[in-house]
Amino acid sequence: MPSDFQVYTVDNAAQGFESTADDSSLKLRCETLEKPPNIDHYRKTIVHNVRMSTRPSIDDLLSGISQPGTLHKSEDKEHKTHVTVNGLGRQKGGAAGAGGPPPSTAARLKLGWIQGVFVRCMLNILGVMLYLRMSWMAGQAGLLFGTLIVILACTVTTLTAISMCTICTNGDVKGGGLYFLVSRSLGPEFGGSIGVIFSIANAVGAAMYIVGFAETVADLMKEHNVAIFDNGINDVRVIGLATCVLLMGIVFIGTGFESKMQMVLLVILTLSLINFVIGTFLPISKDQNLRGITGYSWTTLTANLMPAWRGESFFSVFGVFFPAATGIMAGANISGDLRDAQSGIPKGTLLAILVTTIIYLATVWITGGTTVRDADGFQALMYSNSSNTYITPPCASNETCAYGLMNYFQVMELESGWGPLITAGIFAATLSSALASLVSAPKIFQAVCRDRIFPYVSFFTKGYGKNDEPRRAYGLTFILAMLIILIGDLNVIAPIISNFFLAAYALINYACFDGSFSLTPGFRPTFKYYNKWVALLAALLCLVIMFVISWWTALITFLFFLLLFYYIHRRRPDANWGSSTQANAYKNAFTGILKLTKTEEHVKNYRPQFLVMTGNPASRRPLLDFASSITKGHSLIVCGHVLPHEVSLDVLKYMKKLDSRLNTWLLCSQKLKAFYSPVANTNIRHGTQALLQAAGMGKLRPNILLLGFKSNWKDDGPDGVQEIDDYVGLIRDAFDSGMGVGILRNGDQGLDHSHLLTRNRQLNETRTNDNVSLPSVSELSNTGTHRRQMSSSSAPFNKILRLNDIDIEKDSMRTTDSISRGSINCAFHLGEEDTETIDMDVNMEENTRLRSEFANVISMEYAVANAVSAQETSSTGTRIDLFPSMNRFRKKEKKAVIDVWWLYDDGGLTLLVPYLLSLQKSYLEGADLRVFTIASSPDVLEQEQRSMAVLLSKFRIKCTEIFVVPDIEKEPSSTTVNEFEELIAPFRTSESDPDSKLITEEVLKAQANRTKRQLRCRELLQHHSANAQLIILTLPVPRKRMFSSSLYMAWLDMLTRGMPPTLLIRGNQTSVLTFYS
């Protein structure tokens, strides 16, 4: 091997190599901006005052120039990051996990897996149950069923520990233990709910352990005739409160000292167990024999082999024992204090479960093989040679025996070599569990608070000392524990605590299953000894055990969990942790689209899916609202936006910002189930053609193009013919693509309110912006050209703002009151990378236009959110309320009437759309439908009317009236004709060029009958439908190469001008209605 290379194994590198070296230490032999893989490139946080290697951006590589002052950007927002620029530190506030100041940079005390995990889990698992209930369980359940109970309980905890190890090894584990594991795996809703519940459970559990200790001390005092008050509950309270103060003092000293105390308690616990085992081999004393101790005896063992239930059952005994198997989270709960949590938690937890399981099984068999079930304490045990068993004392028949496995809880002390050491073991087990709980609860709660999942809890985020001790959370836990200790009797609360722990275990197992089931590439645990179906089985086992222990406490646990879950879900904290819930959302969506693609289409399942050419959706909100009233969130809406720019790197960056911003605005702020899709093209028709071809995926793609009527089509006269031709060309392109077409005209109000919104915000702006400048006339004309192609009400914005001067987060948060509390995580701020000034190597004018357009998007989002109360002062000083026009198609209209002019059969779309608009969740909900059609002959009016009524009946579409128009071919009035002549006058030409885009005399004569029909139709509309809330009319087809676009636009203008809101619509001549089942 060449001497220039040095080889490191992966294991060696993982143990000691974490590079924070200067980039200069990695020298390449050729000049390049590329950098080798470096751990610094993948860090989520930045070390204060340490220069770290940064990966070059794709812009740097494409341009070949490294941008100076590039900051290391966090790949997610879990923690507050420290950024160092030119030696000056500053904080960048994250969202989730950004509470409180950063911890001290001094070296923190880190615990190894033995002291931090194994010892802590051992002490937390081995509690008073070992000393006071294992012998009772051996008597009730017998040795076989007692063994089964222990194995079943430990199986649940082992499977949970395996799931926990799987999650722990799927990335770095930070502080927060169980909460961190669940929240990063299943999301903030699950994590926040179980984090609060688990914090409370640990705090109350600590109080329970302390009360148990206090009761033992009180009993000892009573035996020695010593009392504080009454040898009763008041003594328990005083002893408990004093003990809690002492333990909290140990905790406040720090985790290191508390861990040393745990080691001392472990020694005492170990000595007490050794003392018990040794005592069973010593000769039996007379007192022991009177109390049922036989020593190791085959007779005793066989007699206790099978169960002897007395007021109990298998599951009730299991419910009593199971809390003794909990405590496996003690190491994970202080994950932030571990030297290597990723490897330490699996090793320490699994080893602790193995050792404690052996201890529990040994205790069951030792006590069951050395002690009879019943003894009266007065007569020595008598052996029957005939039956080869010990004779049962008379007191067993009425269950009044004082000793034996079934009656005396101090069997371990009775059998031990020295009784006081067992009492010391009880103290050690109780105090160690209490200490572990008093440490776990505050650390978990601090982690929950730092993620800002709940409001008004930032006070508890502060950490103290080099170990970032949560002293404020310690104080809260202390107060809660003291209050619970004052109760003095926790028998009712104990099952709830057990259920809280089981709920946490169930979520750990489900998190492992869900992460594996999602098949996301990011789920790569190094712990391979797991199976997703076993994890799911463990989760179900935990749920079953919850109800077995106590069904009503299980319901209470679920109630608390669901309340917290619902609150967090509605609040939608700004937390994006890449949870398996997100991975499953993608997987389910992808699977659904594939399944939909395989499904053969049927007319009964037809849904209108819209490509709505809104441009900036914030400026044409009414057009979007109208489409939403039809789909009601049950089918696709794509908001198409053609940006008038050549495709370039900077334009693509700008489009990416718009895509992120406006999709969030649509889904979250405006409660609209729609998607924003931009495309860059200097020609609107070419851009729309791209959207017609590319919008959607599989069969989830638009089938109707919805446009706003171009009411300013005639403003530029012959100079604007190309824009008219492009607009009409969009209609032809949609028909060529097999789509239907809808054109909405909102009376004289129009659909584009961008100019009103912008002027309104300028007048109501409460904060000043020193970096606002007025654009030049040329800039205004450039910016406005493209907008005029789509709507007459567009006007150039009279402000240009720099992107980096816009307080995007502040502006967005002003819309909080209007934000939908849906199921989507809607974070409004774009982050540092989205507020940068767009770097432009092209001309300055293009740079200004891009920045101005993006600023206008943000401006209009804010304006739309406040349009309810917005008013704008016109040049005449009058007040104009923006609410009615902005919410034209949102406010429900009572007793509405929809006139449907189904003049030509287009497949039924002209009839289906008004029916959908009359259903619930539409602004025309409950509207009456009046259907108008034309007669094929004046002689068959009644027959035509009956036929239409039968057809509507078969379609199951209810209408109030049916009109058959007999005189559609009648000559229009001279007034209507003169109005039409005046309308087309600027576009008429005397030339006879067949390719002319103007209206030639030849074309006008050739289309005379169609023109008269459209004009006559206008008169009928004015006569019958002037008072309708909506008119839906079959759209005339713009035939190719038969007439000019300006003539076609004149027809549409005559049909809709001066009328109520009118939708011109036509399907693609394919049936969308059927009367077959």
Side-chain angles (χ1 to χ4, degrees):
M1 181 177 293
S3 59
D4 291 344
F5 293 89
Q6 189 172 3
V7 178
Y8 290 87
T9 65
V10 174
D11 292 339
N12 290 337
Q15 289 175 5
F17 179 73
E18 278 201 3
S19 171
T20 56
D22 195 301
D23 294 342
S24 60
S25 64
L26 299 172
K27 296 181 179 179
L28 299 179
R29 298 187 182 276
C30 57
E31 293 185 2
T32 178
L33 292 177
E34 301 274 22
K35 293 184 179 181
N38 191 314
I39 193 172
D40 288 349
H41 301 167
Y42 297 90
R43 292 187 187 275
K44 294 177 179 178
T45 56
I46 301 171
V47 181
H48 183 60
N49 285 333
V50 175
R51 184 179 176 187
M52 303 174 68
S53 175
T54 58
R55 183 191 302 114
S57 68
I58 191 66
D59 293 348
D60 295 342
L61 298 178
L62 287 173
S63 63
I65 302 174
S66 179
Q67 300 296 328
T70 301
L71 298 179
H72 183 98
K73 296 173 184 175
S74 175
E75 292 186 23
D76 70 9
K77 295 174 285 186
E78 285 189 26
H79 303 281
K80 175 171 287 189
T81 59
H82 257 3
V83 184
T84 301
V85 184
N86 298 327
L88 300 176
R90 71 177 180 90
Q91 289 183 17
K92 186 181 82 170
S104 171
T105 57
R108 292 183 60 178
L109 174 64
K110 294 291 187 177
L111 304 175
W113 71 271
I114 295 179
Q115 185 179 4
V117 183
F118 175 72
V119 171
R120 191 173 295 274
C121 287
M122 280 276 296
L123 290 172
N124 215 25
I125 294 173
L126 297 176
V128 291
M129 198 69 66
L130 171 67
Y131 295 94
L132 303 181
R133 289 294 184 272
M134 293 305 296
S135 57
W136 170 83
M137 187 177 74
Q140 287 278 356
L143 298 181
L144 293 182
F145 281 86
T147 301
L148 181 61
I149 288 174
V150 173
I151 292 176
L152 179 60
C154 294
T155 298
V156 173
T157 56
T158 301
L159 294 178
T160 303
I162 290 174
S163 298
M164 180 180 66
C165 296
T166 304
I167 300 173
C168 287
T169 58
N170 191 47
D172 286 343
V173 179
K174 307 298 182 183
L178 172 72
Y179 160 72
F180 183 90
L181 298 179
V182 174
S183 63
R184 270 52 176 182
S185 299
L186 296 177
E189 293 88 353
F190 286 98
S193 303
I194 207 64
V196 171
I197 289 176
F198 204 59
S199 298
I200 296 174
N202 274 280
V204 178
M208 290 180 60
Y209 295 131
I210 294 172
V211 168
F213 169 81
E215 288 179 348
T216 305
V217 174
D219 290 341
L220 290 174
M221 294 171 60
K222 188 175 182 180
E223 290 180 6
H224 295 82
N225 297 319
V226 178
I228 301 176
F229 291 110
D230 54 2
N231 279 129
I233 192 171
N234 289 324
D235 284 11
V236 172
R237 289 169 177 166
V238 172
I239 297 169
L241 293 175
T243 305
C244 186
V245 173
L246 176 63
L247 293 180
M248 285 306 302
I250 296 173
V251 170
F252 265 97
I253 293 174
T255 308
F257 183 73
E258 181 265 344
S259 297
K260 294 176 183 178
M261 287 296 301
Q262 293 278 25
M263 293 297 293
V264 173
L265 294 174
L266 178 64
V267 171
I268 297 174
L269 188 65
T270 304
L271 291 176
S272 70
L273 292 175
I274 295 174
N275 171 56
F276 162 67
V277 174
I278 292 176
T280 60
F281 289 98
L282 297 178
I284 303 300
S285 66
K286 181 180 179 181
D287 184 63
Q288 287 178 320
N289 183 264
L290 292 174
R291 298 186 180 190
I293 306 300
T294 65
Y296 289 102
S297 168
W298 178 257
T299 302
T300 305
L301 188 145
T302 54
N304 293 333
L305 200 61
M306 300 306 294
W309 310 114
R310 296 181 186 176
E312 302 289 346
S313 65
F314 178 86
F315 289 111
S316 65
V317 174
F318 177 84
V320 172
F321 169 75
F322 185 78
T326 61
I328 62 174
M329 296 292 175
N333 288 338
I334 62 164
S335 54
D337 296 314
L338 299 178
R339 188 177 300 121
D340 185 3
Q342 198 173 24
S343 64
I345 292 176
K347 288 189 294 186
T349 304
L350 291 175
L351 184 59
I353 292 175
L354 176 62
V355 173
T356 53
T357 301
I358 294 174
I359 292 174
Y360 282 137
L361 290 174
T363 305
V364 169
W365 282 85
I366 290 175
T367 55
T370 58
T371 309
V372 296
R373 282 193 166 100
D374 295 289
D376 56 15
F378 303 106
Q379 296 180 355
L381 295 175
M382 300 181 65
Y383 185 79
S384 172
N385 292 322
S386 60
S387 61
N388 293 325
T389 59
Y390 286 99
I391 298 174
T392 303
C395 61
S397 59
N398 55 9
E399 299 182 4
T400 58
C401 295
Y403 298 98
L405 294 175
M406 305 286 282
N407 314 294
Y408 189 58
F409 295 149
Q410 304 289 341
V411 170
M412 287 187 68
E413 181 183 2
L414 187 62
E415 287 195 272
S416 66
W418 187 43
L421 193 54
I422 296 297
T423 303
I426 296 175
F427 290 171
T430 306
L431 296 179
S432 63
S433 297
L435 270 176
S437 297
L438 288 174
V439 171
S440 298
K443 288 186 177 292
I444 295 174
F445 189 66
Q446 183 190 43
V448 175
C449 296
R450 283 185 169 174
D451 282 345
R452 296 185 181 179
I453 292 178
F454 298 96
Y456 314 117
V457 293
S458 58
F459 175 79
F460 298 101
T461 62
K462 183 175 177 57
Y464 293 86
K466 64 179 181 180
N467 293 328
D468 194 28
E469 299 287 349
R471 293 179 182 173
R472 294 178 178 178
Y474 284 156
L476 180 64
T477 303
F478 174 70
I479 294 172
L480 179 60
M482 295 284 275
L483 292 174
I484 300 299
I485 289 171
L486 289 175
I487 298 175
D489 184 4
L490 302 179
N491 291 336
V492 177
I493 305 175
I496 300 179
I497 303 304
S498 297
N499 274 300
F500 279 0
F501 280 104
L502 279 167
Y505 295 169
L507 279 180
I508 283 288
N509 286 293
Y510 179 73
C512 177
F513 163 77
D514 202 45
S516 180
F517 186 74
S518 65
L519 300 177
T520 175
F523 190 75
R524 302 185 302 276
T526 58
F527 185 85
K528 300 299 183 183
Y529 305 102
Y530 73 95
N531 181 275
K532 60 185 176 184
W533 301 113
V534 174
L536 180 62
L537 176 63
L540 295 176
L541 270 176
C542 291
L543 295 178
V544 171
I545 293 171
M546 287 177 65
F547 284 92
V548 166
I549 292 176
S550 174
W551 65 267
W552 66 271
T553 54
L555 291 178
I556 291 176
T557 304
F558 273 108
L559 177 62
F560 279 128
F561 177 81
L562 290 176
L563 288 175
L564 290 171
F565 183 95
Y566 180 75
Y567 173 78
I568 300 172
H569 181 71
R570 294 287 294 175
R571 187 173 184 268
R572 283 203 319 274
D574 181 11
N576 181 16
W577 297 320
S579 65
S580 59
T581 305
Q582 295 171 320
N584 279 319
Y586 173 86
K587 179 185 175 183
N588 294 337
F590 181 70
T591 304
I593 292 175
L594 289 179
K595 186 177 180 180
L596 182 64
T597 303
K598 296 176 184 177
T599 304
E600 187 176 353
E601 293 182 351
H602 194 281
V603 63
K604 289 196 298 183
N605 296 324
Y606 173 85
R607 292 174 184 266
Q609 303 183 103
F610 288 97
L611 171 59
V612 187
M613 297 305 296
T614 58
N616 176 8
S619 65
R620 293 180 180 84
R621 175 62 190 268
L623 182 61
L624 192 54
D625 287 334
F626 186 82
S628 183
S629 286
I630 299 174
T631 63
K632 302 174 180 64
H634 302 310
S635 57
L636 180 67
I637 296 179
V638 177
C639 300
H641 188 183
V642 180
L643 300 167
H645 301 281
E646 295 285 355
V647 177
S648 66
L649 174 63
D650 298 294
V651 170
L652 293 174
K653 289 168 59 179
Y654 163 62
M655 289 170 57
K656 184 177 180 181
K657 298 182 198 320
L658 282 181
D659 183 76
S660 173
R661 179 80 189 196
L662 287 173
N663 273 306
T664 300
W665 181 81
L666 287 168
L667 295 171
C668 302
S669 176
Q670 301 303 305
K671 310 178 186 179
L672 292 170
K673 296 180 180 179
F675 302 95
Y676 171 76
S677 181
V679 63
N681 201 296
T682 54
N683 182 277
I684 185 174
R685 183 176 181 183
H686 294 164
T688 306
Q689 286 173 344
L691 289 171
L692 290 172
Q693 297 174 48
M697 180 180 298
K699 290 184 179 178
L700 194 66
R701 58 175 64 249
N703 51 29
I704 300 174
L705 175 67
L706 183 61
L707 304 170
F709 181 73
K710 185 176 175 59
S711 56
N712 67 336
W713 67 274
K714 60 186 181 301
D715 290 358
D716 293 335
D719 295 335
V721 169
Q722 184 57 51
E723 291 185 12
I724 299 173
D725 202 47
D726 287 342
Y727 181 85
V728 177
L730 298 180
I731 303 173
R732 297 191 180 105
D733 294 337
F735 285 134
D736 288 341
S737 301
M739 299 174 64
V741 176
I743 300 176
L744 179 64
R745 184 169 188 174
N746 185 23
D748 297 328
Q749 297 180 13
L751 298 168
D752 188 350
H753 297 87
S754 55
H755 66 299
L756 293 176
L757 289 170
T758 305
R759 290 164 57 192
N760 177 72
R761 183 179 179 191
Q762 293 167 5
L763 290 170
N764 292 279
E765 208 168 32
T766 57
R767 62 184 180 90
T768 60
N769 192 325
D770 296 333
N771 292 311
V772 175
S773 60
L774 293 175
S776 64
V777 176
S778 61
E779 289 171 336
L780 288 178
S781 61
N782 288 336
T783 315
T785 300
H786 179 66
R787 296 191 187 94
R788 289 198 305 270
Q789 296 180 12
M790 289 299 291
S791 173
S792 62
S793 55
S794 62
F797 298 104
N798 51 5
K799 279 190 180 181
I800 291 182
L801 298 96
R802 301 176 186 171
L803 290 182
N804 53 348
D805 291 330
I806 301 170
D807 191 344
I808 297 175
E809 184 171 358
K810 183 176 180 180
D811 285 350
S812 300
M813 293 310 294
R814 294 179 184 176
T815 67
T816 300
D817 293 338
S818 65
I819 295 175
S820 164
R821 299 298 182 187
S823 60
I824 305 167
N825 187 348
C826 300
F828 275 93
H829 65 80
L830 295 177
E832 181 178 332
E833 67 277 8
D834 288 330
T835 59
E836 298 173 330
T837 303
I838 299 176
D839 297 325
M840 302 294 277
D841 294 329
V842 295
N843 60 75
M844 194 63 186
E845 182 180 358
E846 190 73 6
N847 184 359
T848 303
R849 288 175 59 192
L850 278 176
R851 290 185 295 176
S852 176
E853 289 183 26
F854 186 67
N856 289 326
V857 169
I858 300 167
S859 175
M860 271 181 286
E861 288 178 26
Y862 169 78
V864 169
N866 293 276
V868 173
S869 59
Q871 286 189 330
E872 187 254 337
T873 305
S874 67
S875 58
T876 60
T878 59
R879 304 291 290 180
I880 301 174
D881 191 357
L882 294 180
F883 177 74
S885 59
M886 284 296 300
N887 293 273
R888 178 66 179 84
F889 301 114
R890 299 185 73 185
K891 184 179 180 181
K892 291 189 177 182
E893 299 193 23
K894 298 181 179 179
K895 298 181 179 179
V897 175
I898 303 177
D899 280 355
V900 183
W901 290 75
W902 194 13
L903 304 182
Y904 310 103
D905 192 353
D906 62 343
L909 186 62
T910 306
L911 185 63
L912 177 62
V913 168
Y915 167 74
L916 295 175
L917 284 169
S918 66
L919 299 179
Q920 291 182 347
K921 298 182 180 180
S922 167
Y923 82 102
L924 293 176
E925 177 182 337
D928 293 331
L929 301 185
R930 301 196 307 169
V931 179
F932 296 79
T933 187
I934 58 176
S936 56
S937 172
D939 301 328
V940 290
L941 287 180
E942 291 188 12
Q943 182 180 349
E944 294 276 3
Q945 196 167 12
R946 285 196 298 271
S947 297
M948 179 59 68
V950 170
L951 182 60
L952 294 177
S953 175
K954 285 183 173 291
F955 283 151
R956 303 173 302 282
I957 294 178
K958 182 180 178 181
C959 66
T960 56
E961 295 179 85
I962 298 176
F963 296 88
V964 178
V965 180
D967 52 353
I968 190 68
E969 300 296 335
K970 182 180 178 180
E971 291 287 331
S973 66
S974 59
T975 303
T976 305
V977 173
N978 291 336
E979 185 179 359
F980 176 75
E981 292 288 347
E982 183 180 351
L983 182 64
I984 66 172
F987 300 94
R988 298 184 66 170
T989 179
S990 58
E991 298 179 2
S992 58
D993 183 5
D995 297 327
S996 175
K997 294 183 179 180
L998 298 177
I999 305 174
T1000 64
E1001 295 299 326
E1002 290 79 2
V1003 170
L1004 200 56
K1005 290 179 181 179
Q1007 302 298 324
N1009 289 333
R1010 292 194 69 184
T1011 300
K1012 291 178 181 179
R1013 193 179 301 115
Q1014 307 304 334
L1015 298 183
R1016 176 58 183 158
C1017 186
R1018 167 177 171 75
E1019 293 178 344
L1020 293 172
L1021 287 167
Q1022 288 178 318
H1023 177 72
H1024 293 284
S1025 302
N1027 296 322
Q1029 276 63 48
L1030 177 67
I1031 301 172
I1032 296 182
L1033 175 67
T1034 304
L1035 174 70
V1037 177
R1039 296 181 179 177
K1040 300 177 181 179
R1041 295 179 297 277
M1042 296 201 58
F1043 47 82
S1044 68
S1045 298
S1046 52
L1047 177 59
Y1048 181 75
M1049 288 300 299
W1051 290 346
L1052 301 187
D1053 199 341
M1054 288 298 296
L1055 288 171
T1056 57
R1057 63 162 48 192
M1059 301 299 295
T1062 303
L1063 175 66
L1064 298 162
I1065 192 168
R1066 178 180 283 271
N1068 62 354
Q1069 303 304 117
T1070 302
S1071 295
V1072 299
L1073 292 173
T1074 181
F1075 44 77
Y1076 294 106
S1077 60

